[in-house]
Amino acid sequence: MDGSSPGTFGDTANFPAGNMPGGPAGYPTAPGAAPELGDHARTTVTIATYPDYASAQRTVDDLSDNRFPVERTAIVGTNLRLVEDVTGRLTTGRAALAGAGTGAWFGLFIGLLIGIFAVVNWLGIIVTALVIGAVWGAVFGAVAHAMTGGRRDFSSRSLLQASQYGVTVDAEFAEQAHQAVRRMNPTAGSGRQ
């Protein structure tokens, strides 16, 4: 293949990104480039900003309830930070217990699958699979924690947070969105950017 015939991997002129074919999510864009919509680039306007995601989500929901074309909106979080909340001390026993719980669920699932096709003692099959899953889960949980060598003796939960959430709309719908937000909440001007 020399790449000169249409449809081959060497022919990049037919792809909007210039060098990559589109995938399930569309065509890739260069960092900082606006996604393409037809022949023009999509320009957006921020109509309101909020300190929490729930308020931004409520605004988009209210726009939807008022028949605004919400497919032209986006919620954009800015100043992202990763917060890891420590939930407790993690010992080998706790790791084994957590593993047993996970293994028990998996064993129950396998037991139900096998039990569906069993003609006798299907309850015994489910209970056996649940116990075997719990035991193996506990063993794997304890071994995995022991292999860390004490470098991570705590459990935690990670959360991505933004300091501000903006509701943006396509520029051609900005005035309509501003009016809708003012109608829904006359005091929303304080949250507007």
Side-chain angles (χ1 to χ4, degrees):
M1 266 196 234
D2 64 357
S4 59
S5 61
T8 63
F9 288 108
D11 180 25
T12 60
N14 294 327
F15 302 128
N19 61 1
M20 296 286 293
Y27 290 98
T29 58
E36 293 184 16
L37 291 178
D39 294 332
H40 65 283
R42 181 178 175 179
T43 305
T44 60
V45 175
T46 301
I47 60 164
T49 57
Y50 300 97
D52 58 22
Y53 178 78
S55 298
Q57 182 181 4
R58 197 173 316 114
T59 296
V60 175
D61 188 49
D62 289 343
L63 287 170
S64 176
D65 292 344
N66 285 290
R67 305 208 186 286
F68 182 82
V70 291
E71 64 275 5
R72 302 300 195 133
T73 64
I75 298 175
V76 180
T78 55
N79 298 330
L80 296 178
R81 64 185 181 158
L82 178 66
V83 178
E84 185 174 7
D85 287 329
V86 176
T87 57
R89 186 166 183 267
L90 186 62
T91 62
T92 303
R94 282 188 173 200
L97 187 61
T102 303
W105 278 111
F106 184 70
L108 178 64
F109 173 71
I110 297 298
L112 286 171
L113 284 178
I114 295 172
I116 289 172
F117 302 106
V119 284
V120 293
N121 198 14
W122 67 271
L123 185 60
I125 292 171
I126 293 172
V127 170
T128 302
L130 191 138
V131 170
I132 291 171
V135 169
W136 276 106
V139 169
F140 283 125
V143 168
H145 180 263
M147 288 178 64
T148 65
R151 287 186 305 274
R152 187 167 170 98
D153 286 340
F154 62 92
S155 59
S156 64
R157 176 181 65 211
S158 294
L159 178 66
L160 195 61
Q161 293 179 337
S163 65
Q164 178 175 288
Y165 297 88
V167 177
T168 64
V169 297
D170 286 359
E172 67 232 41
F173 294 96
E175 187 53 38
Q176 181 185 353
H178 277 300
Q179 290 173 2
V181 168
R182 276 187 236 123
R183 263 195 323 271
M184 293 180 294
N185 186 4
T187 61
S190 62
R192 221 175 99 191
Q193 183 178 19

